[in-house]
Amino acid sequence: MAVDTPLLDNNNSSTHSDEDEKPLSLVRRFGSESKKLWKIAGPAILTMLCQYSLGTFTLIFAGHVGELDLAAFAVENTCIAGFAFGIMLGMGSALETLCGQAFGAGQTRMLGVYLQRSWVILFTTALILVPVYVWSPPILRLMGQTTEISKAAGRFALWMLPQLFAYAFNFPIQKFLQSQRKVHVMLRIAATVLVLHIFFSWLLILKLGWGLIGAAITLNTSWWLIVIAQFSYIVITKSDGAWSGFSWLAFADLFGFVKLSLASAVMLCLEIWYLMILVVITGRLTNPLIPVDAISICMTLNGLDGMIAIGFNAGISVRVSNELGAGNFRAVRFAVWVVSITSVSIGVLAMILVLSTRDYFPHLFTTSDAVAKETTKLAALLSVTVLLNSLQPILSGVAVGAGWQSLIAYINIGCYYIIGLPAGILLGFTFHFGAEGIWSGLIGGVVLQTIILIIVTSVTNWKKEAEQAEGRVKKWGGSIAYEQ
């Protein structure tokens, strides 16, 4: 591989030639790695944007029904579904480490069994999470939401239970396909479903006047269409040997698999819940309806921008896990540099876009002038957040690809919940800065976490990580190879 060749040729006797080759070699290496990255990250970004846009367009239509409908959908989508989303996506992310490293090591047969194990674990987790949906009104009131918002959001949460179980099957399938770089298939499916979703959301929510019931019908149907289409592709194509049918091996070695899945879930949940808490705490302010709506709009845009970073997260996670599985530790280090430079450049553009449209974008989500005005006030903080989004998820993707989930979980606890959250509460309530103060404190936690992740990534011995990846593939593949 080009990335494994030395940048400098010490045997070359011509100094002039050496100087000519260095920049050219670097440019070629950067271009080569960028192509590999974008082949995965490009479709992954578009796929995540399409899937995230399912909720975004539903939010837009709900916002044009009324302020309570907007708040109910936003609180359910952010707090209840967001809580479940974090757990399910996090546990499914264990496959990014295992499938990615197994695929890089050429052990394709192991991927199908990993997928089924993840289904078993996530379906069980979904059953455990059902009471959270059922008892969401008292939970939301306990978290500080008003009775009016809690009742409306709780009613909507019951209608969204099918989406919870769609998560259980969708996220493992995504990681299964991503690890094999079959991202174009995921993109075509997600884009098709999004087009159908937009039309039927408009039809049911606004045209027929079904409100939140129409929102629930379209969201549930869209998520299950994605699951059915992706699984149909896997069964029909056999996924180049990665899928050989259902197997009882899915129930073997579950304890160790659960441990890695839980570590992945804790790592990701601590990040997702951190921003979810922003909406919850804002609900405890005086007259919270307008601030909650404004924060929810900003979080929706932040999430939309975050899908770009998550696409890069998927790209670098696949690159790191594949190269570590293949033992190419030099390629890993360079891939991290390339994805970081690329993502931060896009983050700067996103920050500029938010600031330049802060007087206009709120009106896409609401007809309330008060909500739009409050959203415009928060635009500066949103711009800082989207810039941080461009690097922090990338470093988390490196961590998942390398299998560092437990370490990152501890870092997240310290930065987010010991420092960032108390700082936000102090600024928001004690110093009376309101939603802006709460958000500012939380941003401080993200900044600290990003700095620590940069340091950890910079001092990592990638040769040692490659050796550990080889041991991990042997450990998890042993029983499969023996029984097959």
Side-chain angles (χ1 to χ4, degrees), residues 153-171:
R155 186 166 54 250
F156 184 65
L158 288 176
W159 300 335
M160 292 307 300
L161 278 170
Q163 183 191 53
L164 170 64
F165 289 92
Y167 287 163
F169 292 96
N170 178 64
F171 295 139

Side-chain angles (χ1 to χ4, degrees), residues 18 60 68 163 169 171 186 243 330 340 359 375 427 448 468:
D18 221 19
I60 291 173
L68 181 59
Q163 183 191 53
F169 292 96
F171 295 139
M186 296 165 54
W243 176 263
R330 292 186 182 89
S340 298
D359 293 322
T375 306
L427 291 171
L448 180 59
Q468 291 178 349

Side-chain angles (χ1 to χ4, degrees), residues 13-14 68 186 352 454 458 473 481:
S13 59
S14 171
L68 181 59
M186 296 165 54
I352 294 172
I454 290 173
S458 300
V473 170

